[in-house]
Amino acid sequence: MSQHRKDLLVEVGQFVEQVYQMGVREVVLSPGSRVAPLALAFVRHPHIKTRTVSDERSAAFIALGIAQQTNSPIVIACTSGTAALDYAPAVAEAFYQRIPLIVLTADRPTEWIDQWDGQTIRQQNIFGGHVKKSFQMPVDLSHDDAKWYRRRIGAEALQKALDFPQGPIQINWPLREPFYPEEGEEFVYDSENAKAVKVIKSETYLDQDTWEEEILPIVQSYKKILIVAGQGQREDSLVESFNQLNIPVVSDIISNYGNATSAIIHQDVFLKAECIEVLQPDVLITFGMSVISKNLKLFLRKNPPKYHIHLQEAGEVPDPFMALSTVVRSTPDAFFDQLSELEFDAKYLEEWKSADEKVKANRIDFFELLTFSELEVVNHLLSELPENSVLHLANSMSVRYANFLGLERDDVDVYANRGTSGIDGSTSTAIGHAISDPDRTHFLLTGDLAFFYDRNAFWNNYLPKNLKVVLLNNQGGVIFRMIDGPTRQPELEEYFETHQRTSAKFLAEEFQCKYWEANSREEFYFSYDSFLNELENVSIFEVFTDKNISKNTFKAFKREGLYSK
């Protein structure tokens, strides 16, 4: 065995063991030659689960879904060249959703970059500002200092991804040939010498003096306090705190707090930017990530609170409502646990609840006298979700429909790629979730453009039987008919909308999925139960709709729910 290959087998093996020691249990690989030593080391590790997905863009989104579902870091690894660029959409999504994606990009030796050698591009820092940090492994690993440097980079990179707020990192690894192990040559996994850094965390409570000096004077001086929950996963302890507070909790569907007794879920329907004095908060308390509701954002920007407190343990804090005044370095759980010991007047909550309940009442019989539309399909899906299921929402109109209708369940988890709000990886992400969570049924609500844009999500060997897709096909999307600007342009149909006549029927046949279709209300309700009860295959229910009818129904629903006092 050459000394170069011996060093490579030891150091790559030790790196994989280091990754394992720091919490990685799953890896999504994409085939290639330059990545071979990394791929083989992961595949041969006795305790790491590996999968291979040929399309790097889909692979990265599948990994993102797995990481999100398991709340664990995950590795993606690809060969050199443009393969790394195909990771970019998912890397950006992971950055804004704070998901610890460990991006391994195999590379050619540094001296061959820009020398017209095959599959060589400038891979260092290829993801720019959309990773927390990029790292470069040494090309040669023969010197003891280089081996120490490799171990140090591995530990630093993994810890950087896991530090709050979590996020993706890149490790670019130039690999020199020969790098395929010969028969009898093995990777070395030495747990004792794998340099893994252990970090001990503690709950972040405000000390009593800070609480009394900085927080109490604000929350006790004003009666109109509003909580806004951003995107995130539900914590039952937070729900318990909210249920003790007489404070409205505005909850987008992707915040997962619609089941709290004080939750407001229809703000996107009844709010408008013009000042509604009785609903304007004096104190705004926010936590979590982004919110879907454009009307909420416009309302708070037009009617700013006197104080805006955001809760976040560490990291940069955005100012989406243009009113940020205080950042509290505490966990939301700790902060609201302290806040729940206080008493608040319920009058302000009642004003928000009154507006919310009006929308709920209108929703009950809203669809009965109207023509069949996409909104009715979404309403039925949300109403009939089985117990302990998961809902994935593709971007564009799918997530907007669901957010306008709202969800109050405590046994359904909701996810969406709202970090960058792109349509490019919705199906792949849902598949990643379903793969790693086989005991629950996962529903994906998607539109035709998002679905067909990510059709390679089905091009792998791991299609989960517990995935059900509700596909709204209006032959080109309806979002640009909802926005005032495009609707006034003569180029709307050719340059904004994407006309297509594609059906998912042949895709379902190609990938052996179970398929239903509906062109009317009668067909939809007739087939829905059989779609729901299919357990042996990925299920796709394609509902064909008219975009103009869907547009008009959606606008009518919003008009019915507008706040009036």
Side-chain angles (χ1 to χ4, degrees):
M1 182 191 306
S2 70
Q3 186 61 42
H4 163 72
R5 197 160 62 234
K6 181 179 179 180
D7 290 335
L8 188 67
L9 292 175
V10 170
E11 294 305 318
V12 169
Q14 287 293 78
F15 170 77
V16 170
E17 177 63 23
Q18 184 181 37
V19 166
Y20 172 76
Q21 293 290 333
M22 295 186 72
V24 172
R25 297 293 180 268
E26 300 200 47
V27 177
V28 178
L29 305 166
S30 292
S33 185
R34 189 64 51 169
V35 75
L38 294 168
L40 292 172
F42 280 116
V43 170
R44 296 177 186 181
H45 191 282
H47 304 301
I48 293 178
K49 173 71 175 177
T50 58
R51 298 180 177 90
T52 179
V53 179
S54 295
D55 184 321
E56 284 86 4
R57 188 181 73 184
S58 180
F61 276 111
I62 287 174
L64 184 147
I66 294 172
Q68 197 173 43
Q69 183 62 229
T70 60
N71 287 311
S72 301
I74 190 167
V75 167
I76 54 176
C78 69
T79 195
S80 63
T82 55
L85 289 170
D86 290 331
Y87 278 165
V91 171
E93 182 67 28
F95 181 79
Y96 286 108
Q97 279 207 57
R98 300 174 176 175
I99 295 173
L101 202 60
I102 315 303
V103 185
L104 274 179
T105 53
D107 201 358
R108 302 287 168 130
T110 308
E111 65 268 19
W112 284 105
I113 306 303
D114 294 336
Q115 300 306 305
W116 294 349
D117 200 32
Q119 284 186 227
T120 57
I121 64 173
R122 300 174 185 180
Q123 290 182 203
Q124 291 190 50
N125 301 301
I126 199 170
F127 304 109
H130 291 118
V131 289
K132 294 181 70 176
K133 190 173 181 179
S134 290
F135 299 84
Q136 178 81 358
M137 282 293 190
V139 179
D140 296 306
L141 297 165
S142 57
H143 196 280
D144 286 345
D145 286 357
K147 295 174 182 178
W148 163 78
Y149 184 50
R150 195 281 307 154
R151 293 193 296 272
R152 198 190 84 198
I153 287 177
E156 288 181 7
L158 268 292
Q159 195 52 55
K160 188 70 174 179
L162 294 170
D163 284 343
F164 188 91
Q166 296 183 338
I169 58 92
Q170 179 202 9
I171 301 176
N172 191 57
W173 198 327
L175 294 163
R176 195 184 304 283
E177 296 184 70
F179 44 63
Y180 284 98
E182 297 289 346
E183 185 177 355
E185 296 177 351
E186 297 181 353
F187 293 97
V188 177
Y189 307 111
D190 184 353
S191 59
E192 291 186 5
N193 292 315
K195 182 178 173 60
V197 176
K198 184 178 182 180
V199 176
I200 300 174
K201 296 182 179 180
S202 62
E203 194 72 20
T204 309
Y205 274 80
L206 293 181
D207 65 80
Q208 194 61 29
D209 288 343
T210 303
W211 180 258
E212 292 178 358
E213 293 173 9
E214 300 291 344
I215 304 302
L216 286 184
I218 296 175
V219 298
Q220 290 186 327
S221 298
Y222 299 96
K223 296 182 178 180
K224 295 162 64 176
I225 300 173
L226 181 68
I227 298 170
V228 171
Q231 180 172 15
Q233 298 181 37
R234 178 176 54 253
E235 294 185 33
D236 291 337
S237 56
L238 263 184
V239 176
E240 292 177 9
S241 293
F242 293 152
N243 290 344
Q244 296 178 48
L245 294 165
N246 288 320
I247 297 176
V249 180
V250 178
S251 177
D252 272 350
I253 194 168
I254 59 172
S255 78
N256 285 291
Y257 286 102
N259 64 308
T261 57
S262 56
I264 307 299
I265 63 173
H266 293 112
Q267 65 281 354
D268 222 359
V269 183
F270 65 77
L271 279 179
K272 50 187 178 181
E274 291 79 8
C275 182
I276 306 171
E277 186 176 350
V278 71
L279 297 184
Q280 181 180 10
D282 293 318
V283 179
L284 173 65
I285 304 174
T286 60
F287 69 98
M289 294 176 286
S290 65
V291 297
I292 302 170
S293 175
K294 184 175 181 180
N295 286 343
L296 174 66
K297 286 183 276 193
L298 293 176
F299 172 70
L300 290 173
R301 291 168 189 170
K302 295 272 187 181
N303 309 283
K306 294 179 176 64
Y307 296 94
H308 173 194
I309 300 170
H310 184 75
L311 314 177
Q312 185 172 303
E313 295 171 67
E316 296 181 2
V317 176
D319 186 16
F321 306 118
M322 305 173 69
L324 185 65
S325 59
T326 305
V327 176
V328 176
R329 294 304 190 187
S330 168
T331 62
D333 197 17
F335 182 89
F336 288 115
D337 183 48
Q338 290 176 276
L339 193 68
S340 64
E341 297 176 0
L342 306 177
E343 293 186 4
F344 296 92
D345 189 337
K347 184 177 180 181
Y348 184 57
L349 170 61
E350 290 167 0
E351 293 288 352
W352 278 88
K353 273 292 186 183
S354 175
D356 206 45
E357 293 298 329
K358 178 186 174 184
V359 180
K360 292 180 186 178
N362 289 341
R363 178 181 169 182
I364 294 173
D365 56 4
F366 175 78
F367 299 102
E368 288 185 2
L369 300 178
L370 297 177
T371 306
F372 186 59
S373 69
E374 293 173 345
L375 193 63
E376 183 176 348
V377 173
V378 179
N379 184 66
H380 188 72
L381 171 65
L382 296 181
S383 301
E384 298 297 323
L385 286 169
E387 291 184 5
N388 196 33
S389 56
V390 183
L391 176 62
H392 302 270
L393 301 170
N395 277 307
S396 199
M397 286 309 299
S398 298
V399 70
R400 287 177 172 84
Y401 284 143
N403 196 52
F404 269 76
L405 291 167
L407 192 66
E408 299 176 272
R409 301 274 293 273
D410 64 357
D411 62 336
V412 175
D413 296 322
V414 183
Y415 296 92
N417 285 351
R418 294 301 291 182
T420 60
S421 303
I423 66 168
D424 38 7
S426 303
T427 308
S428 294
T429 305
I431 285 175
H433 275 267
I435 285 172
S436 59
D437 186 29
D439 296 329
R440 294 194 291 176
T441 303
H442 288 248
F443 291 81
L444 169 64
L445 174 66
T446 184
D448 48 6
L449 296 187
F451 181 82
F452 294 117
Y453 198 94
D454 194 22
R455 62 172 288 128
N456 273 2
F458 295 91
W459 186 37
N460 63 72
N461 298 321
Y462 314 101
L463 290 185
K465 296 179 180 179
N466 58 327
L467 177 68
K468 295 185 179 297
V469 180
V470 176
L471 168 57
L472 306 175
N473 192 340
N474 55 38
Q475 289 82 47
V478 73
I479 182 66
F480 290 111
R481 292 175 183 256
M482 301 290 188
I483 305 171
D484 289 338
T487 59
R488 297 194 300 267
Q489 309 308 316
E491 296 87 357
L492 168 66
E493 293 192 1
E494 183 174 0
Y495 290 100
F496 289 89
E497 294 183 335
T498 302
H499 288 285
Q500 54 83 26
R501 298 182 181 274
T502 308
S503 166
K505 181 178 181 179
F506 300 107
L507 180 148
E509 291 178 0
E510 181 180 0
F511 296 108
Q512 299 179 330
C513 304
K514 189 75 172 177
Y515 175 80
W516 293 259
E517 71 172 61
N519 292 274
S520 66
R521 176 179 284 144
E522 291 73 23
E523 290 179 357
F524 173 70
Y525 289 108
F526 177 79
S527 300
Y528 192 82
D529 284 346
S530 61
F531 162 73
L532 204 61
N533 294 325
E534 170 61 39
L535 301 176
E536 297 302 319
N537 298 280
V538 174
S539 305
I540 301 174
F541 195 169
E542 185 169 23
V543 185
F544 293 93
T545 60
D546 182 279
K547 64 183 66 175
N548 286 315
I549 291 173
S550 294
K551 178 193 72 172
N552 293 334
T553 303
F554 187 55
K555 289 190 173 182
F557 185 77
K558 290 196 292 183
R559 284 196 303 271
E560 286 288 317
L562 276 178
Y563 182 85
S564 59
K565 184 69 178 177

